[in-house]
Structures are given as structure tokens and as C-alpha cells.
Amino acid sequence: MKNLNFVLASLFVSAGFATDVLTPEKLEADIKLEELERNLWNLNRIANENGGNRAFGLPGYKASVDYVLERAQTRFHAEYDTFVQPFNASFAQVRSIAVTGPDGENVEVVPLLYNPGTDPAGISAPLIDTPVDDARGSACFEDQWTGIDATGKLALVKRGTCAVSDKLKLAKAHGAVGVILYNNVAGRPLAATLGAENVGMLVPVGTIYQDVGEAWSARLAAGEELVVGLNVDAVFDTRETWNIIVETKTGDPENVVMLGAHLDSVIAGPGINDDGSGTTTLIEIMTALRRYTGFANKVRFAWWGAEESGLVGSLHYTSSLTEAEADRIRFYFNYDMVGSPAPQFAVYTGSNPGDLAGATPLRDYLSAAGRDAYFGSFGSSSDYVGFLELGIPSSGIFTGAGAPQDPCYHLACDTISNVDFEALTLNAKAAAVVAARMAISLEGVPPRAKTSPNLRSRNKIRGQFEKWKRAAEHASSEKSCSHGEKNVV
């Protein structure tokens, strides 16, 4: 009889019928460092085989989608329903960028996403300085350009405070043919996006180190005339990409616990911490959860596309939700960069009192493990944005971007060597424990906030996505490679 029972139990498991009742402790124990690492090794391999990245619009992202689908759709089809949500997004790539200094030297330069291209010959023009205003932000406001005639010149502008795109619009309005943007802090300038919605409104820009820009500013102040060069080879068009949505077949569809991470990387690198770390966290929670039964609420996983281009995938998803569909999402957890090599342990919480229902147990778990976990505010640069605007209670973990937490942020060195696996494993276990608790019970989790500000926020989300749609339409009618040849992917 024992042998028969063992055979029957094995058949149930192999057929996809979970027989073990879920507890947070069981799901926690199922999260293994070696499996988290295995996924990251494969994402790193995918990048290596596809030009060094997994960026949307390029082959590495499609291969990443296939990797998740092989697990969710092929292996786990008995336990999960999987949906691939297509959408179009504006694709931009700076294929090469060069700045030539006033003495003919090559200057190290960092590309920005959605940077306009120059003609093949590039720009060679006199440099004109703009005033530094660290309090308000340099070159951020019209009055700061008073008396500056930048016609036919490259404007030297200090970075910081306002959006770079705002500085470029003002430079263009005052006749500049381009901008040399020098960093506002020491060290390598961080990459950033100029925003697809700004296509056609900006001049080309080259971002250089702080010390170089300050030296040029001093020479201009001393009366020297400096001629510098800027050459940008950029591609811009519209490409289809995808979100992956996976949810348990069991659980109340009126009460959904949702976990999200973005699947794409920047073009500059493989994105193993950003956000392979969140991707592998979700994969392993999904893998473990399928073994269990006895949870009341549906659990939904989302791997977002085109996050690095401006949260496009998650904004598409949230802007497409009906009121009833938004009501069903009781809590959203965002896991973006949860394995930084010198980690901090920030747990997101915001102005919605419901956020604490997920944030508090995450922080408590990390604190009990001896980590200095703390509540940190949401920003505007990850996939929680659309959920916050809808009033859906939200939280998540963030271990830091840029030095000192992650010096390889948005760079080619964001490889499997750029991950603190102890921190990643701890954060993945924390995510699993809290997800399991909410899958079992949503006691203490309020409904989403639906006051008038949040209704206005729904329009804000839709308005933001409309900007992307307009940019996509612009791209489809004016597909371009600034240096002339057609780009085919």
C-alpha cells in the first residue's frame, strides 16, 4: 500500500496537481541560491550571444522572453495561465558617439537614450558657456539664458536638478546646434533617457565628465575660443515588444496579489542586476508556488517589457485596466535591482496607507535577518508608477543603483559578477514569504484608494502612455538612421 500511495502521489505531482498546503515557511525554504544563480547565468549567456544586451527591440530581449515562457508556458502550463501582451514602443539606439576636444583630443562620452543624431560629418562648432546655478539647476529656466546667443554653437551646460531634455529644449530655442553636458558630480556620468515623447524637440548632446567640463568652462572664462566636435550616430523607429503575465489557475480572481520585475536591459549591457535579479526572483517564486495548494487568493507575476525606455510595458498594462480589473489587484510588489553588489535594503512605501500591509512584513523579515532595512520612498523610475497612480497598495525592495551600491549600473559590467548573491537570496526569500502570506490571507490589506486624485491619476497614466503612442507614430512616419543606412533587426 505504501508503494501504491507513493506512486499515486508521484503521478499527481508530475501531472501538475499540487497536494501540499502552502505556508510561508515552505515557500521560503524552496528559494535556493543555486537556482537563482542558474537563471542569471542563462540571462548572462543570452546577452553574450546577442550583442551583449537584452534590450527591447533587439534579439536578446526576445530570447529572454522565450526563456521565461519555456518555464511558465511549457513546463508549468498545468498550474499557470500565461498571457503574452504585445505592444509597440519607440526604439532608440545610439550606435556610436564621439566628442572631440578643443585640442583635437578624443573625450570620453556617455550616450543618452533618444539622443538625436547628427549628420554623418558631425558638428564642429565654437563652444559657448552657460551660467552655473546649482540651487535652481543650470540652464533649466528661460531667464538663465538671458543674453546668451548660442546660434550655430555648442552650448556647454552643467547637468543636474531639472530634466536634461529641458536643458536641450532651451538650448535649441536659443540657436544651439548641440549641447556638451558635463556631469554635476565626480565620476562616470550615469546614462539616462531623454524621453521618446521629446523626439524632434531636442538638439544632439554629448555627456562628459565633470572635470573636463569645468576645465573647458574655465578656459572660456579666461577668454579662449574653443571649438569642439560632436558626432552621434543614432537609430529611431517603432518596434513590437511584449509583457509576460502569468497567474495561478487557483485562487480567487477577485483578489489578486501581483509581483512584477522588468525583463529588459539597457543596450549598454546584459542587465544582470538591473533587472535580472528581479526576474530570477519571480521565476523562482513562480517555480516553487506551483507545488502548493490551499491558498485563497490568485497570484499574478509580470515580466515587463521596455522598462528601460520609460516604463512603457507597465504603463501599457496599467493604462489598459478597467476599473473592475484594477480593483481586483489588491497589492503590487515591484522587484527591480534586488542584488546590488554593495546593497542597501530599502523597502518601498508611499502615501497610500495600504502600502504598509506589504512593506512592513518585508522590512521586518530583512531586519530579523540582521540587515539594516528601512522604509524608502517611491520615485518615478520603475514599474510601480502605474500601480501607485491607480491607488493600488504597493511595495517592493531596492538595493541601490550607481556607486557605491552598484557601480556597474547601466554599464557593460552589469554581468553575473555584479551581484551579491547573499543579498539576492535573502530578498527573494523575503518576497516569497510575504507573497505566500498574502496568497493565504489579505487581512489588513485595504481596497485600492479611489479618491478623486487617483481618478485624475488614471488620466495621467493614460496621458503618459499617449505620449509614447505619439512618439511611436512619429517614429513610424519618420524612421531614421542619422548616418543614412537602414537598420534591420
Side-chain angles (χ1 to χ4, degrees), residues 182-211:
Y182 64 97
N183 212 28
N184 56 327
V185 294
R188 180 181 174 84
L190 293 177
T193 178
L194 299 174
E197 67 272 19
N198 291 314
V199 169
M201 303 166 65
L202 310 177
V203 290
V205 57
T207 306
I208 63 173
Y209 282 70
Q210 181 184 41
D211 58 341

Side-chain angles (χ1 to χ4, degrees), residues 284-314:
E284 289 310 306
I285 294 174
M286 174 186 68
T287 299
L289 184 62
R290 82 189 204 283
R291 304 183 180 113
Y292 300 104
T293 187
F295 49 94
N297 306 307
K298 189 174 287 292
V299 179
R300 181 178 299 161
F301 302 90
W303 287 267
W304 306 117
E307 188 270 358
E308 296 290 6
S309 296
L311 320 181
V312 188
S314 58

Side-chain angles (χ1 to χ4, degrees), residues 65-87:
V65 168
D66 291 342
Y67 181 80
V68 174
L69 290 179
E70 190 279 329
R71 184 84 61 106
Q73 201 170 50
T74 303
R75 282 196 256 169
F76 302 160
H77 62 89
E79 297 89 5
Y80 292 103
D81 292 320
T82 299
F83 311 92
V84 177
Q85 183 182 42
F87 60 95

Side-chain angles (χ1 to χ4, degrees), residues 66 77 86 92 99 118 137-138 165 176 222 267 271 280 285 306 322 343 352 365 376 388 402 417 420 446 468 472 485:
D66 291 342
H77 62 89
V99 169
T118 64
S138 302
S165 58
I267 292 175
T280 189
I285 294 174
T322 66
N352 186 337
Y365 183 95
L388 297 181
S417 301
D420 183 320
W468 285 92
E485 65 274 23

